[in-house]
Amino acid sequence: MNVGAHVSIAGGLDNAIANQIEVGGNCGQIFTHSPQVWQDPNIGEGEADAFRDGSATEDLGPWVIHSSYLVNLCTPKEGLREKSIDSMQKEVDAADRLDIPYVNVHLGAHTGAGVENGLDNAASALDELDIPDGVTVLVESDAGSGTKLGGDFEHLAEVLDRSEQDLDVCLDTAHAFAAGYDLSSEAAVEETVAEFDDVVGLDHLKYVHLNDSKHECGTNKDEHAHIGEGLIGEEGMRAFVNHPAIEDVPLALETPHEDGRGFAWNIEKVRELRGEN
């Protein structure tokens, strides 16, 4: 099973290798810079070489880069749209340098432009990217609060359909649950996975952010919990990670660091639920 965490690159991007190994992961996610500011990836040639070599030596991957939180593909504001496109171009170029196959992005919020215009904005913004061969942009499912898009599976399917790019999807379990897709039992997991397949297509599911939720299904509240200890719960998490459709999909955890537990505990829990321990 490919399971890992979103690990820090503090002190150098290549430090992600040791950080991932330390928590017991064999794949995972990184930011190339602080996600709270407009900043270009600042990756030295030595760092890039060390990251590629370390990933190959330790057999880590696939990795995914998470784009800046400031990126808003749905925005009707031209200045923000241009900044978002520029930021995404730099991320896909960084992925190419690092031999990382995926860049993950939220669609963002339409901020009053309306759902249809927001989806058109997102698709056309993505179409402006020059995505290198070997790199795929993943559109992430959202919790769906306010005017944010991506909470409905239909939003994801529409952007994939409207864009000329070959896009795929990252499903966040906590976000999907918050958006109203139940995952708290074996039957609920079967229904939600079947709906995803019907609307988006399981062939587009290339990565999963595996997180439990601190809030009830359908609340649109995005707050992650330890695996099996949130409102999705152990039954739901066990059913999800053992579902045949998820078997070969890499899992990246964004679980909290609290109660004396962090990524290592959660990764171990996932392996336990999968029956690997």
Side-chain angles (χ1 to χ4, degrees):
M1 176 172 56
N2 284 331
V3 58
H6 183 125
V7 293
S8 172
I9 65 164
L13 187 140
D14 50 312
N15 286 338
I17 305 296
N19 293 337
Q20 195 64 254
I21 293 169
E22 184 178 1
V23 298
N26 57 18
C27 66
Q29 181 174 260
I30 59 169
F31 292 122
T32 61
H33 57 84
S34 170
Q36 308 286 0
V37 296
W38 293 114
Q39 182 179 337
D40 294 347
N42 184 20
I43 305 167
E45 202 54 49
E47 283 181 90
D49 290 343
F51 180 87
R52 291 192 304 269
D53 292 346
S55 292
T57 300
E58 301 294 343
D59 196 23
L60 297 181
W63 289 94
V64 56
I65 290 173
H66 195 302
S67 63
S68 168
Y69 291 145
L70 300 181
V71 168
N72 186 348
L73 302 175
C74 295
T75 183
K77 300 175 183 177
E78 191 58 34
L80 178 55
R81 174 184 171 87
E82 290 307 314
K83 283 185 175 181
S84 297
I85 293 169
D86 180 66
S87 179
M88 283 297 295
Q89 185 63 56
K90 290 182 169 71
E91 298 289 19
V92 296
D93 289 342
D96 184 44
R97 285 186 64 202
L98 297 168
D99 289 342
I100 291 178
Y102 303 118
V103 173
N104 179 76
V105 65
H106 298 271
L107 291 177
H110 66 70
T111 62
V115 172
E116 290 302 313
N117 286 334
L119 295 174
D120 279 341
N121 290 343
S124 63
L126 289 165
D127 284 347
E128 292 199 31
L129 299 178
D130 181 12
I131 302 174
D133 292 341
V135 177
T136 301
V137 171
L138 305 182
V139 180
E140 181 179 344
S141 64
D142 198 88
S145 61
T147 66
K148 290 181 180 178
L149 300 183
D152 294 344
F153 290 163
E154 286 80 4
H155 296 168
L156 307 176
E158 282 297 324
V159 170
L160 267 59
D161 184 60
R162 296 181 194 192
S163 174
E164 297 175 358
Q165 304 280 15
D166 291 326
L167 307 171
D168 286 311
V169 170
C170 172
L171 178 70
D172 186 305
T173 52
H175 293 174
F177 189 71
Y181 297 98
D182 194 4
L183 293 166
S184 61
S185 67
E186 185 173 356
V189 168
E190 287 289 348
E191 183 176 343
T192 291
V193 171
E195 184 167 357
F196 181 93
D197 190 25
D198 183 56
V199 175
V200 182
L202 284 166
D203 56 318
H204 286 296
L205 181 60
K206 301 302 182 184
Y207 229 102
V208 165
H209 285 170
L210 191 70
N211 302 298
D212 211 324
S213 174
K214 290 187 178 181
H215 300 282
E216 296 279 359
C217 183
T219 59
N220 302 120
K221 294 181 179 179
D222 177 18
E223 193 174 2
H224 300 174
H226 292 308
I227 299 298
E229 298 201 354
L231 276 301
I232 295 176
E234 192 163 301
E235 179 188 348
M237 280 291 169
R238 178 181 286 108
F240 184 83
V241 300
N242 285 288
H243 194 287
I246 308 302
E247 185 176 8
D248 296 324
V249 180
L251 313 172
L253 279 66
E254 301 168 323
T255 45
H257 293 264
E258 58 188 21
D259 307 322
R261 291 171 288 182
F263 288 141
W265 184 92
N266 282 278
I267 289 172
E268 186 73 10
K269 182 68 174 182
V270 175
R271 294 193 185 282
E272 176 188 317
L273 294 175
R274 190 73 169 260
E276 292 192 356
N277 289 343

PDB file of all heavy atoms in Angstrom, residues 122-134:
ATOM      1  N   ALA A 122     -12.436  28.215 -14.051  1.00  0.00           N
ATOM      2  CA  ALA A 122     -11.429  27.236 -13.629  1.00  0.00           C
ATOM      3  C   ALA A 122     -10.886  26.460 -14.822  1.00  0.00           C
ATOM      4  O   ALA A 122      -9.667  26.283 -14.966  1.00  0.00           O
ATOM      5  CB  ALA A 122     -12.032  26.284 -12.598  1.00  0.00           C
ATOM      6  N   ALA A 123     -11.780  25.987 -15.675  1.00  0.00           N
ATOM      7  CA  ALA A 123     -11.348  25.202 -16.832  1.00  0.00           C
ATOM      8  C   ALA A 123     -10.475  26.028 -17.769  1.00  0.00           C
ATOM      9  O   ALA A 123      -9.428  25.559 -18.246  1.00  0.00           O
ATOM     10  CB  ALA A 123     -12.565  24.664 -17.578  1.00  0.00           C
ATOM     11  N   SER A 124     -10.866  27.281 -18.009  1.00  0.00           N
ATOM     12  CA  SER A 124     -10.094  28.118 -18.929  1.00  0.00           C
ATOM     13  C   SER A 124      -8.756  28.523 -18.325  1.00  0.00           C
ATOM     14  O   SER A 124      -7.758  28.669 -19.050  1.00  0.00           O
ATOM     15  CB  SER A 124     -10.900  29.349 -19.339  1.00  0.00           C
ATOM     16  OG  SER A 124     -11.192  30.179 -18.228  1.00  0.00           O
ATOM     17  N   ALA A 125      -8.714  28.711 -17.000  1.00  0.00           N
ATOM     18  CA  ALA A 125      -7.435  29.016 -16.345  1.00  0.00           C
ATOM     19  C   ALA A 125      -6.479  27.839 -16.475  1.00  0.00           C
ATOM     20  O   ALA A 125      -5.292  28.006 -16.793  1.00  0.00           O
ATOM     21  CB  ALA A 125      -7.665  29.362 -14.873  1.00  0.00           C
ATOM     22  N   LEU A 126      -6.984  26.651 -16.247  1.00  0.00           N
ATOM     23  CA  LEU A 126      -6.145  25.450 -16.386  1.00  0.00           C
ATOM     24  C   LEU A 126      -5.672  25.277 -17.824  1.00  0.00           C
ATOM     25  O   LEU A 126      -4.561  24.799 -18.073  1.00  0.00           O
ATOM     26  CB  LEU A 126      -6.922  24.219 -15.916  1.00  0.00           C
ATOM     27  CG  LEU A 126      -7.158  24.148 -14.405  1.00  0.00           C
ATOM     28  CD1 LEU A 126      -8.239  23.116 -14.066  1.00  0.00           C
ATOM     29  CD2 LEU A 126      -5.857  23.810 -13.672  1.00  0.00           C
ATOM     30  N   ASP A 127      -6.508  25.688 -18.779  1.00  0.00           N
ATOM     31  CA  ASP A 127      -6.138  25.553 -20.189  1.00  0.00           C
ATOM     32  C   ASP A 127      -4.973  26.463 -20.577  1.00  0.00           C
ATOM     33  O   ASP A 127      -4.331  26.242 -21.611  1.00  0.00           O
ATOM     34  CB  ASP A 127      -7.338  25.853 -21.084  1.00  0.00           C
ATOM     35  CG  ASP A 127      -8.338  24.716 -21.115  1.00  0.00           C
ATOM     36  OD1 ASP A 127      -7.996  23.613 -20.648  1.00  0.00           O
ATOM     37  OD2 ASP A 127      -9.468  24.937 -21.592  1.00  0.00           O
ATOM     38  N   GLU A 128      -4.714  27.482 -19.770  1.00  0.00           N
ATOM     39  CA  GLU A 128      -3.604  28.385 -20.063  1.00  0.00           C
ATOM     40  C   GLU A 128      -2.258  27.827 -19.618  1.00  0.00           C
ATOM     41  O   GLU A 128      -1.209  28.395 -19.938  1.00  0.00           O
ATOM     42  CB  GLU A 128      -3.851  29.748 -19.422  1.00  0.00           C
ATOM     43  CG  GLU A 128      -5.011  30.506 -20.051  1.00  0.00           C
ATOM     44  CD  GLU A 128      -4.963  31.990 -19.760  1.00  0.00           C
ATOM     45  OE1 GLU A 128      -3.844  32.530 -19.614  1.00  0.00           O
ATOM     46  OE2 GLU A 128      -6.039  32.611 -19.672  1.00  0.00           O
ATOM     47  N   LEU A 129      -2.275  26.730 -18.878  1.00  0.00           N
ATOM     48  CA  LEU A 129      -1.028  26.146 -18.386  1.00  0.00           C
ATOM     49  C   LEU A 129      -0.327  25.351 -19.483  1.00  0.00           C
ATOM     50  O   LEU A 129      -0.960  24.665 -20.284  1.00  0.00           O
ATOM     51  CB  LEU A 129      -1.299  25.221 -17.195  1.00  0.00           C
ATOM     52  CG  LEU A 129      -1.929  25.841 -15.957  1.00  0.00           C
ATOM     53  CD1 LEU A 129      -2.162  24.764 -14.896  1.00  0.00           C
ATOM     54  CD2 LEU A 129      -1.061  26.955 -15.397  1.00  0.00           C
ATOM     55  N   ASP A 130       0.985  25.433 -19.481  1.00  0.00           N
ATOM     56  CA  ASP A 130       1.818  24.569 -20.322  1.00  0.00           C
ATOM     57  C   ASP A 130       2.337  23.462 -19.407  1.00  0.00           C
ATOM     58  O   ASP A 130       3.370  23.614 -18.751  1.00  0.00           O
ATOM     59  CB  ASP A 130       2.976  25.377 -20.917  1.00  0.00           C
ATOM     60  CG  ASP A 130       3.859  24.536 -21.821  1.00  0.00           C
ATOM     61  OD1 ASP A 130       3.454  23.398 -22.162  1.00  0.00           O
ATOM     62  OD2 ASP A 130       4.959  24.996 -22.157  1.00  0.00           O
ATOM     63  N   ILE A 131       1.589  22.372 -19.340  1.00  0.00           N
ATOM     64  CA  ILE A 131       1.892  21.298 -18.400  1.00  0.00           C
ATOM     65  C   ILE A 131       2.895  20.336 -19.035  1.00  0.00           C
ATOM     66  O   ILE A 131       2.638  19.779 -20.096  1.00  0.00           O
ATOM     67  CB  ILE A 131       0.615  20.546 -17.988  1.00  0.00           C
ATOM     68  CG1 ILE A 131      -0.400  21.524 -17.368  1.00  0.00           C
ATOM     69  CG2 ILE A 131       0.940  19.431 -17.000  1.00  0.00           C
ATOM     70  CD1 ILE A 131      -1.745  20.897 -17.055  1.00  0.00           C
ATOM     71  N   PRO A 132       4.050  20.149 -18.387  1.00  0.00           N
ATOM     72  CA  PRO A 132       5.066  19.254 -18.966  1.00  0.00           C
ATOM     73  C   PRO A 132       4.564  17.811 -19.072  1.00  0.00           C
ATOM     74  O   PRO A 132       3.710  17.371 -18.291  1.00  0.00           O
ATOM     75  CB  PRO A 132       6.219  19.350 -17.954  1.00  0.00           C
ATOM     76  CG  PRO A 132       5.996  20.626 -17.211  1.00  0.00           C
ATOM     77  CD  PRO A 132       4.515  20.784 -17.143  1.00  0.00           C
ATOM     78  N   ASP A 133       5.115  17.103 -20.037  1.00  0.00           N
ATOM     79  CA  ASP A 133       4.825  15.672 -20.141  1.00  0.00           C
ATOM     80  C   ASP A 133       5.249  14.984 -18.842  1.00  0.00           C
ATOM     81  O   ASP A 133       6.307  15.284 -18.281  1.00  0.00           O
ATOM     82  CB  ASP A 133       5.589  15.051 -21.308  1.00  0.00           C
ATOM     83  CG  ASP A 133       5.085  15.538 -22.655  1.00  0.00           C
ATOM     84  OD1 ASP A 133       3.940  16.048 -22.713  1.00  0.00           O
ATOM     85  OD2 ASP A 133       5.835  15.431 -23.642  1.00  0.00           O
ATOM     86  N   GLY A 134       4.415  14.079 -18.374  1.00  0.00           N
ATOM     87  CA  GLY A 134       4.743  13.363 -17.150  1.00  0.00           C
ATOM     88  C   GLY A 134       4.205  14.009 -15.899  1.00  0.00           C
ATOM     89  O   GLY A 134       4.366  13.478 -14.797  1.00  0.00           O
TER      90      GLY A 134
END
